C-alpha cells in the first residue's frame, strides 16, 4: 500500500524518498513497465564503444537511423531501452542524438545550459540507471560554451543578471575560478574543468549512481565536442 504524503516517516524529504525509491529499483533490476520485454543490455565499455562508433558514422556523413518498419516503431512505443545516457549542454549546436548518429530510443539525454549536474539532471540520470538499465553516462561539454563564458565573466567581476540566470551559473563558478588560476585558455579550461566537476559530482551526490559505479554496472566519462572539427574527444 502506498503511504499518503502526510504519513511519510519523519525526517525524509522529497529528495531522500526519491533516492530510496531509486535504490529499491536498482536492487530489484530494471522496471518492466519502463523497459521493452526484450532490450539489449551492454557493459559500460561496450556502450562507450557503440557511442563512439556512432560518432565516427556522424563524422563520415552517415544518415541518422530511422525505424521504418511497423514492428520497430511498435517496439519503440512499448518502452525504452537506451544503451547510454548523455548529460549535455542545451546549446543548439551540440545535439547528442545527431553527434552520435542515433535514432529515437537509443540515448537518454539530459540537457541544460553548461551541462551541470544539478538536482534535475542527477535525478533524471538516476532513473536512467535504476529503471532503464543504462550502463554509461557521458558528460559532454563543448567548445565556446556560452554558459562557461558567462561564468568566467562572473568570476572576474560581479554581473547584473536576472535571478534565475545568476543561480544557474553558480555551479560553474568554481570551474571558472580554477581555470583563471591555471591561466592559458581560460574559457576552454573552464569547459574542461566543468565537465570533470560534473562527472565527479554525479557519483558524489547520488547513492544510486555511486552504487552502480562501484559494482561495475556503470561508467561515467567526460568528453568535449569541438565545434570547428566536429570531433568528440574523451577527457581523462
Amino acid at each position: 500500500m502506498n503511504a499518503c504524503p502526510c504519513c511519510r516517516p519523519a525526517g525524509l524529504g522529497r529528495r531522500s524518498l526519491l533516492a530510496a525509491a531509486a535504490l529499491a529499483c536498482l536492487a530489484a533490476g530494471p522496471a518492466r513497465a519502463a523497459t521493452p520485454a526484450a532490450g539489449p543490455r551492454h557493459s559500460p565499455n561496450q556502450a562507450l564503444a557503440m557511442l563512439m562508433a556512432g560518432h565516427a558514422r556522424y563524422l563520415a556523413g552517415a544518415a541518422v537511423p530511422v525505424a521504418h518498419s511497423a514492428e520497430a516503431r511498435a517496439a519503440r512505443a512499448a518502452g525504452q531501452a537506451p544503451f547510454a545516457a548523455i548529460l549535455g549542454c542545451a546549446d543548439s549546436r551540440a545535439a547528442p542524438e545527431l553527434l552520435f548518429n542515433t535514432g529515437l530510443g537509443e540515448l537518454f539525454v539530459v540537457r541544460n545550459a553548461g551541462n551541470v549536474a544539478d538536482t534535475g539532471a542527477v535525478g533524471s540520470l538516476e532513473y536512467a540507471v535504476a529503471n532503464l538499465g543504462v550502463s554509461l553516462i557521458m558528460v559532454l561539454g563543448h567548445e565556446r560554451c556560452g554558459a562557461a563564458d558567462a561564468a568566467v565573466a562572473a568570476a572576474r567581476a560581479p554581473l547584473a543578471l536576472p535571478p534565475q540566470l545568476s543561480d544557474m551559473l553558480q555551479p560553474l563558478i568554481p570551474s571558472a575560478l580554477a581555470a583563471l588560476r591555471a591561466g592559458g585558455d581560460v574559457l576552454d579550461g573552464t569547459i574542461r574543468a566543468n565537465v570533470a566537476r560534473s562527472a565527479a559530482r554525479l557519483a558524489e551526490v547520488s547513492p544510486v549512481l555511486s552504487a552502480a559505479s562501484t559494482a561495475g554496472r556503470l561508467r561515467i566519462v567526460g568528453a568535449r565536442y569541438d565545434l570547428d572539427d566536429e570531433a568528440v574527444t574523451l577527457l581523462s
Side-chain angles (χ1 to χ4, degrees):
M1 180 180 296
N2 294 329
C4 67
C6 60
C7 299
R8 290 173 179 165
L12 281 181
R14 179 175 179 272
R15 177 70 179 167
S16 298
L17 287 168
L18 286 173
L23 278 170
C25 289
L26 190 62
R32 294 184 181 277
T35 307
R41 301 292 88 180
H42 307 283
S43 73
N45 289 340
Q46 287 173 333
L48 181 58
M50 292 169 63
L51 200 61
M52 299 311 292
H55 180 58
R57 294 194 301 272
Y58 167 77
L59 292 177
V64 176
V66 178
H68 291 290
S69 70
E71 292 80 5
R73 294 196 300 272
R76 188 176 64 206
Q80 59 174 319
F83 71 87
I86 308 288
L87 171 55
C89 183
D91 192 294
S92 60
R93 301 166 293 179
E97 295 90 343
L98 298 180
L99 298 181
F100 296 104
N101 192 242
T102 53
L104 293 175
E106 294 189 90
L107 293 181
F108 188 93
V109 178
V110 179
R111 298 176 71 181
N112 57 39
N115 42 272
V116 173
D118 59 15
T119 299
V122 174
S124 297
L125 293 170
E126 285 179 338
Y127 173 80
V129 172
N131 291 69
L132 302 179
V134 163
S135 61
L136 176 76
I137 296 173
M138 175 181 283
V139 179
L140 181 63
H142 67 93
E143 184 184 24
R144 295 194 290 273
C145 176
D149 196 24
V152 171
R156 284 175 166 152
L159 297 179
L161 297 171
Q164 298 300 324
L165 182 56
S166 179
D167 288 347
M168 182 202 75
L169 289 179
Q170 290 308 306
L172 288 92
I173 299 296
S175 297
L177 291 171
L180 285 166
R181 289 192 296 268
D185 188 333
V186 174
L187 176 55
D188 196 56
T190 300
I191 291 165
R192 292 170 181 269
N194 180 55
V195 166
R197 184 179 178 86
S198 294
R201 177 173 166 77
L202 291 176
E204 288 172 358
V205 304
S206 170
V208 174
L209 303 183
S210 177
S213 180
T214 300
R217 294 191 299 269
L218 173 68
R219 183 177 175 186
I220 302 172
V221 300
R224 174 187 177 276
Y225 172 56
D226 191 292
L227 294 172
D228 296 318
D229 64 22
E230 299 190 279
V232 170
T233 303
L234 294 176
L235 303 178
S236 57

